[in-house]
Amino acid sequence: MTSAITRRGFVTAMAAVLASGGCGPASALMPRPPVGRRIDRLIAAASTLPTVSQRIDVISKALVGSPYRGHTLIGSPRYAERFVMRDDVFDCVTFCETVLAAALAREPAQFEPQLRFIRYKDGEIGWRARNHYFSDWCTNNVANHVCRKLLLPGSETINKRLTWMRGLPARHASLTVLPRAALIDNRERLATGDIIGFLSQRPGLDYFHTGFIVVAGDGALMLRHAAKSRGRVLDQPLKRFLAENHVEAVTLLRVTEPAPRTALI
């Protein structure tokens, strides 16, 4: 799909990027029309599968190879938030959001409200309501019953002061994490479609990346994610990702199986 982008619209979007500092999925260089036939086809193809885990697997696998692009969302503390739906490019969070919304939607009309519900606290479109920190993403999507915490033996709670996001006040967050060694020890308890967040060692930041767990046919654990370093969505051995990125701990969520044919209101 194509659309005409006015000079005024481009300048406004660029201003939003500069106001947000261009950090994370905060703004977009250029708006794009809503998603269309690609995501609709994936929803239709997966809708007959009986579990949300299977639907996540089928939809996310179909998106492997899609280009990575950050800053695709529009809004900042100074500029109005615009609800963005894209199925052509992703960062790590928008990839998870798009796949999850499509897997929970049993028909194309349900995709937009599902995505809004996942991305924003209480589904209310606004820059401050957006889940900028992944810890907020986890908290809000557990509260709205989209996911539940996957608490495995060895899980612990840590506190971290969050100062990374420009425009939001500094605050402390309580994070439930699983050390890397405990993750490996409990690998047989993981399932395809589980969401994994990787704890950041940077001051002021809670997590540096996220993606989906995929259990391969031989039982090996893979990470399906939108990787900036690789420029695309891909599958990567989880153990290799942990080692290459010196991951110390992770947070795990399991998507809640929705009631059959339940529409989001």
Side-chain angles (χ1 to χ4, degrees), residues 5 26 51 82 92 98 120 123 146-147 157 194 196 202 210 218:
I5 304 299
T51 69
R82 290 177 57 186
C92 64
T98 300
Y120 298 98
V146 168
C147 303
T157 300
D194 288 343
I196 184 168
R202 294 183 180 183
T210 186
D218 60 358

Side-chain angles (χ1 to χ4, degrees), residues 20 23 40-42 45-46 57 65 75 93 134 151 234 251 262:
S20 69
C23 181
D40 291 352
R41 286 196 300 265
L42 292 177
D57 186 30
V93 176
F134 188 67
L151 300 176
L234 76 159
T251 287
T262 297

Side-chain angles (χ1 to χ4, degrees), residues 9-25:
F10 178 81
V11 171
T12 299
M14 280 296 297
V17 171
L18 296 174
S20 69
C23 181

Side-chain angles (χ1 to χ4, degrees), residues 83 97 100-101 104 110-125 129 131 137 140-141 143-147 264-265:
F83 182 46
E97 290 177 337
L100 185 53
L104 292 173
Q110 294 180 6
F111 175 76
E112 180 176 345
Q114 288 283 8
L115 181 60
R116 188 176 67 245
F117 198 55
I118 291 165
R119 181 173 294 162
Y120 298 98
K121 180 176 173 58
D122 300 322
E124 296 182 5
I125 298 172
N131 296 315
W137 196 100
N140 290 330
N141 280 296
N144 65 22
H145 307 295
V146 168
C147 303
L264 182 68
I265 299 176

Side-chain angles (χ1 to χ4, degrees), residues 3 24 30 68 112 136 158 183 210 216 229:
S3 65
M30 189 174 294
Y68 178 97
E112 180 176 345
D136 292 334
I158 65 170
L183 172 69
T210 186
S229 61

